[in-house]
Amino acid sequence: MSNESPTLVKGEGPVTLSPSGSTPSQGSPLSPTSASKGPELPDELLQAGWGRCWSKRENRPYYFNRFTNQSLWEMPVLGQHDVIVSTPSLTSSHPLPWNSAPDDKQSQPATPSTPSTPSTPGTPGAKPWSSAPEDKQISAVLSVFFVSTVSVYWDLDIPTNAVIRERPPDPQLPPHPEVELHRAQLVTKLRQHYLELCHQREGIDPPRESFNRWLLERKVIDKGGDPLLPSDCDPVISPSMFREVMNDIPIRLSRIKYKEEARRQLFRYAEAAKKMIDSRNAPQDSRKVVKWNTEDTMSWLRRDHSASKEDYMDRLDHLRKQCGPHVTAVAKDSVEGICSKIYHISAEYSRRLKAAHTALMKECNLSEGCEPPEVQDRLVYCYPARLASPSPPQPRVELHFENEVACLRYKGEMVKINRGHFSKLELLYRYSCIDDARFEKFLSRVWCLIKRYQVMFGSGVNEGTGLQGALPVAVFEALNKQFGVSFECFASPLNCYFKQFCSAFPDTDGFFGSRGPFLSFRPASGSFEANPPFSEELMDAMVTHFEELLDSSTEPLSFIIFVPEWRDPATPALIRLEASRFLRHQLTVSAYEHEYRSGSQHICKRDEMYYKAVHGTVVFFLQNAAGFAKWEPNAERLAEITSAYQSSSSRPGPAPAAPPGDKDPTPKSIS
């Protein structure tokens, strides 16, 4: 019975939410519907997620639990089928999470001297599709718990210990599906421009995910108004894009396993280098050097057929050293032209989006950037990012479920998310959103959120999977238990473990708990985990920000940082972290002996949730004096972290290797 898919399910057909928030005729999209009037279930069973449904195939009623997806022919017995893990907030005298968490809604900040829990308004009203009045508050809490056969990848009950100074609302305009759809179309066009420029000017494919890392690197310095497309950067030429394109000239070098592959790659490199130097306006000396070395290599390949793989690789390394500087010199202006062209197109698209968004706000009689409320100079527990402008009415977004996947559609554009993560977003929204108590804008904001990340990381196979990767659950649990970590510096609503985190987009993510971009987040105290995207420029800016924060605070402040062990050559961030005066300890986890959660965890299959890291990871403990006194990385605590990594990587069945990439195939979570 447990394998039968309900044939009449609320939400199996499209469910729409109108701007007025009226309840759809289909009813609840989260559980099967009842097709016959039978005896009412006891309140206790309703609160535990049970409902009475009708099976068309068997032509008789059955009972379905929307939290555990369990189904039974006979009426369940309370306790006998209770497979939900401990929920103390429902069964004990403890208050519900939204009344106890110090950061749910910021209405009464604490005093500077002793940061205390800000008071919170009443619990927001339930979502329009709640199936029973009794479930309106309970369903969101229960939705994050699963049966023992389903892994849980977050813990939203952990309160924050991060304290900040009160801050003004963010000036970005609120999200709207129409604007987000327009942005998606423009970013897709920009990706296509990049592809064509690389083909036409250099005869190569764009380096894998280089466009995604370009977006990350540009946002570190961008002062423009668009949340995604850079428009005001200095310098115009992106170091990240320039470096990655140059690395693939004259050809992209791949990892070699066999001798024939090494021979073929050496031949292709020599041929491409000679062709490039002949077709470009190169100095005569450069032509001579490249021509002599490539012809010598070709001659060696023709006469020596007994060379080993190592011989071919050594010869390739020698050829690159001899020809590389000359090839780079003749390609420099062309590659800079690619970087400049992409940036200026992006700036133009950003202006178009701004005009369209402003026009939409005017149509709704909403002013852009209302007078911000007065901000007092006082310490408060961190709270979600708020927007200065009011949100316009939202259009209809259709929702239906295909097995375990929630599908949201707007104007034919569909985004998908699994049921578990959909329930997670529902709970994050309940904790964090203060302008939509009736959940009237929930579906449209979820659509905008998923679409934004889908557009940022591309739609190729495994594309973006590494850029949003996260630590294993066991490691997060150990960090919280041993070091009081309750906050992620680089995450998103889709991959966060805690309900307090920083992410790239305050406009879409703030409604789901984001505190905004980390580089503009200035905590005074707290214990933090940082697992940044593997963008060299972003990691370098992160180190600068950490040291400024640690230097300016006398309160306990601790950052536990996870970065790749790239030493050939070593990245600036790695060098600076090892030399930091705030470094208390560092440890290294070897390659292939640990793993990460996939950046596509909100949609991927369960057996694709984890992948092995093909590089070592270095863990740095940066703390000021008060932070070191409170969370010292002693031998016992460090042993727990190491043990957590070992337990996470010893689960049954091997985790797949990381998806192929350029310098490293496992860049991580975004902010």
Side-chain angles (χ1 to χ4, degrees), residues 274-552:
K274 185 175 184 299
K275 181 179 178 180
M276 173 172 282
I277 208 72
D278 287 341
S279 62
R280 303 293 176 94
N281 186 22
Q284 192 63 29
D285 290 344
S286 295
R287 290 180 184 275
K288 289 181 180 179
V289 171
V290 174
K291 185 177 181 180
W292 187 88
N293 279 279
T294 55
E295 289 181 351
D296 181 61
T297 299
M298 295 288 194
S299 176
W300 179 78
L301 285 170
R302 284 191 292 267
R303 68 174 182 266
D304 193 342
H305 297 281
S306 61
S308 65
K309 171 190 167 184
E310 288 71 25
D311 293 333
Y312 289 126
M313 297 304 294
D314 290 343
R315 189 83 184 199
L316 176 60
D317 186 56
H318 173 76
L319 186 62
R320 292 184 65 196
K321 289 179 179 177
Q322 295 298 316
C323 300
H326 303 284
V327 171
T328 299
V330 297
K332 180 175 181 293
D333 291 343
S334 176
V335 175
E336 287 182 345
I338 293 175
C339 298
S340 177
K341 183 72 172 178
I342 293 300
Y343 169 76
H344 285 105
I345 296 175
S346 172
E348 173 58 28
Y349 287 172
S350 176
R351 286 189 287 270
R352 292 188 198 177
L353 287 167
K354 176 69 172 179
H357 211 157
T358 302
L360 186 146
M361 296 289 285
K362 288 182 178 179
E363 287 178 7
C364 299
N365 296 319
L366 296 174
S367 58
E368 179 183 343
C370 299
E371 186 69 24
E374 182 180 352
V375 176
Q376 301 184 36
D377 184 19
R378 53 184 175 181
L379 293 175
V380 297
Y381 279 109
C382 70
Y383 53 94
R386 309 297 185 206
L387 300 179
S389 301
S391 181
Q394 300 292 303
R396 293 184 179 185
V397 171
E398 296 178 352
L399 168 69
H400 71 276
F401 287 89
E402 298 175 356
N403 297 323
E404 293 304 307
V405 177
C407 304
L408 294 90
R409 185 191 301 272
Y410 174 71
K411 288 191 174 181
E413 289 287 325
M414 182 184 293
V415 298
K416 297 183 178 182
I417 183 172
N418 63 46
R419 283 181 185 260
H421 282 76
F422 184 78
S423 297
K424 174 192 179 184
L425 291 182
E426 179 189 329
L427 184 52
L428 286 171
Y429 194 78
R430 184 180 301 278
Y431 275 133
S432 307
C433 180
I434 61 174
D435 69 344
D436 186 25
R438 293 173 58 86
F439 275 62
E440 295 171 359
K441 302 174 182 177
F442 174 70
L443 290 183
S444 64
R445 286 172 173 172
V446 170
W447 189 91
C448 290
L449 166 73
I450 300 174
K451 192 67 176 177
R452 176 74 60 81
Y453 283 96
Q454 183 186 86
V455 167
M456 181 175 191
F457 295 115
S459 56
V461 177
N462 290 326
E463 189 172 7
T465 296
L467 288 170
Q468 294 187 88
L471 300 179
V473 170
V475 177
F476 271 119
E477 291 173 343
L479 290 174
N480 174 253
K481 179 181 178 181
Q482 300 298 326
F483 295 94
V485 172
S486 65
F487 193 107
E488 295 166 78
C489 297
F490 299 90
S492 77
L494 299 173
N495 73 353
C496 65
Y497 178 81
F498 305 109
K499 67 175 180 288
Q500 43 275 340
F501 57 91
C502 282
S503 69
F505 309 118
D507 59 329
T508 55
D509 301 359
F511 301 111
F512 301 91
S514 171
R515 274 55 174 167
F518 178 70
L519 296 181
S520 59
F521 182 73
R522 303 194 63 84
S525 68
S527 184
F528 302 83
E529 175 267 353
N531 180 29
F534 291 174
S535 160
E536 294 186 25
E537 290 76 15
L538 177 57
M539 290 191 292
D540 194 39
M542 171 196 72
V543 177
T544 300
H545 192 55
F546 283 150
E547 295 194 327
E548 289 176 354
L549 294 173
L550 291 165
D551 193 49
S552 62

Side-chain angles (χ1 to χ4, degrees), residues 65-274:
N65 191 305
R66 65 179 180 277
F67 301 135
T68 67
N69 290 331
Q70 191 178 15
S71 50
L72 300 170
W73 289 120
E74 304 299 332
M75 180 180 290
V77 178
L78 191 65
Q80 181 176 342
H81 304 286
D82 185 13
V83 293
I84 300 177
V85 297
S86 174
T87 56
S89 57
L90 299 179
T91 58
S92 69
S93 59
H94 293 86
L96 290 171
W98 47 72
N99 291 328
S100 63
D103 59 340
D104 297 341
K105 279 121 191 139
Q106 183 70 14
S107 62
Q108 185 179 347
T111 59
S113 56
T114 55
S116 59
T117 304
S119 62
T120 59
T123 304
K127 54 191 179 300
W129 53 83
S130 288
S131 59
E134 303 93 320
D135 297 337
K136 289 187 177 180
Q137 290 184 342
I138 300 172
S139 63
V141 180
L142 291 177
S143 61
V144 299
F145 300 107
F146 297 90
V147 292
S148 58
T149 59
V150 179
S151 299
V152 180
Y153 303 109
W154 53 83
D155 187 344
L156 306 184
D157 288 335
I158 297 175
T160 186
N161 57 19
V163 175
I164 62 173
R165 293 205 172 272
E166 193 173 0
R167 55 185 180 176
D170 195 282
Q172 288 192 16
L173 295 177
H176 190 279
E178 192 65 33
V179 177
E180 208 58 46
L181 182 59
H182 190 193
R183 179 177 287 111
Q185 295 166 347
L186 293 179
V187 174
T188 301
K189 288 178 63 177
L190 189 60
R191 287 180 182 273
Q192 184 63 28
H193 280 304
Y194 181 43
L195 174 67
E196 292 172 356
L197 286 170
C198 287
H199 283 172
Q200 293 168 2
R201 298 195 180 191
E202 303 303 332
I204 63 171
D205 288 331
R208 178 180 170 82
E209 298 206 39
S210 60
F211 185 88
N212 301 338
R213 283 187 286 273
W214 174 75
L215 288 174
L216 291 172
E217 178 264 324
R218 294 281 84 183
K219 297 311 289 184
V220 173
I221 60 174
D222 183 41
K223 299 178 182 177
D226 192 82
L228 182 57
L229 289 171
S231 59
D232 185 7
C233 300
D234 185 21
V236 169
I237 306 300
S238 162
S240 171
M241 181 178 285
F242 179 83
R243 180 176 62 247
E244 293 195 41
V245 174
M246 290 298 290
N247 284 343
D248 279 8
I249 293 175
I251 65 168
R252 173 187 173 86
L253 300 178
S254 58
R255 293 187 178 93
I256 299 299
K257 292 184 178 179
Y258 307 107
K259 182 179 77 171
E260 287 305 315
E261 291 178 348
R263 177 186 175 87
R264 189 161 47 248
Q265 184 159 272
L266 175 59
F267 177 81
R268 289 177 56 239
Y269 185 92
E271 186 180 49
K274 185 175 184 299

Side-chain angles (χ1 to χ4, degrees), residues 501-616:
F501 57 91
C502 282
S503 69
F505 309 118
D507 59 329
T508 55
D509 301 359
F511 301 111
F512 301 91
S514 171
R515 274 55 174 167
F518 178 70
L519 296 181
S520 59
F521 182 73
R522 303 194 63 84
S525 68
S527 184
F528 302 83
E529 175 267 353
N531 180 29
F534 291 174
S535 160
E536 294 186 25
E537 290 76 15
L538 177 57
M539 290 191 292
D540 194 39
M542 171 196 72
V543 177
T544 300
H545 192 55
F546 283 150
E547 295 194 327
E548 289 176 354
L549 294 173
L550 291 165
D551 193 49
S552 62
S553 177
T554 57
E555 297 297 320
L557 193 57
S558 172
F559 297 100
I560 303 177
I561 308 148
F562 298 76
V563 296
E565 191 180 21
W566 290 343
R567 298 192 182 275
D568 187 23
T571 60
L574 188 63
I575 295 171
R576 293 180 59 196
L577 284 168
E578 291 181 328
S580 175
R581 65 188 180 93
F582 297 104
L583 178 63
R584 306 297 179 175
H585 189 80
Q586 75 180 69
L587 61 88
T588 301
V589 188
S590 300
Y592 297 102
E593 294 183 6
H594 65 296
E595 56 192 17
Y596 288 99
R597 273 185 296 138
S598 169
S600 302
Q601 62 176 272
H602 61 285
I603 196 62
C604 71
K605 299 177 182 178
R606 194 182 307 169
D607 58 0
E608 298 173 351
M609 185 64 69
Y610 286 89
Y611 57 84
K612 292 288 186 183
V614 298
H615 57 81

Side-chain angles (χ1 to χ4, degrees), residues 20-73:
S20 63
S22 58
T23 304
S25 60
Q26 290 92 332
S28 169
L30 298 181
S31 63
T33 185
S34 173
S36 65
K37 293 185 178 296
E40 294 292 334
L41 290 175
D43 289 348
E44 293 82 0
L45 290 178
L46 290 173
Q47 292 176 2
W50 290 100
R52 190 172 184 270
C53 313
W54 187 262
S55 172
K56 284 186 176 180
R57 189 178 68 187
E58 300 291 337
N59 197 31
R60 59 168 170 157
Y62 69 98
Y63 300 90
F64 179 80
N65 191 305
R66 65 179 180 277
F67 301 135
T68 67
N69 290 331
Q70 191 178 15
S71 50
L72 300 170
W73 289 120

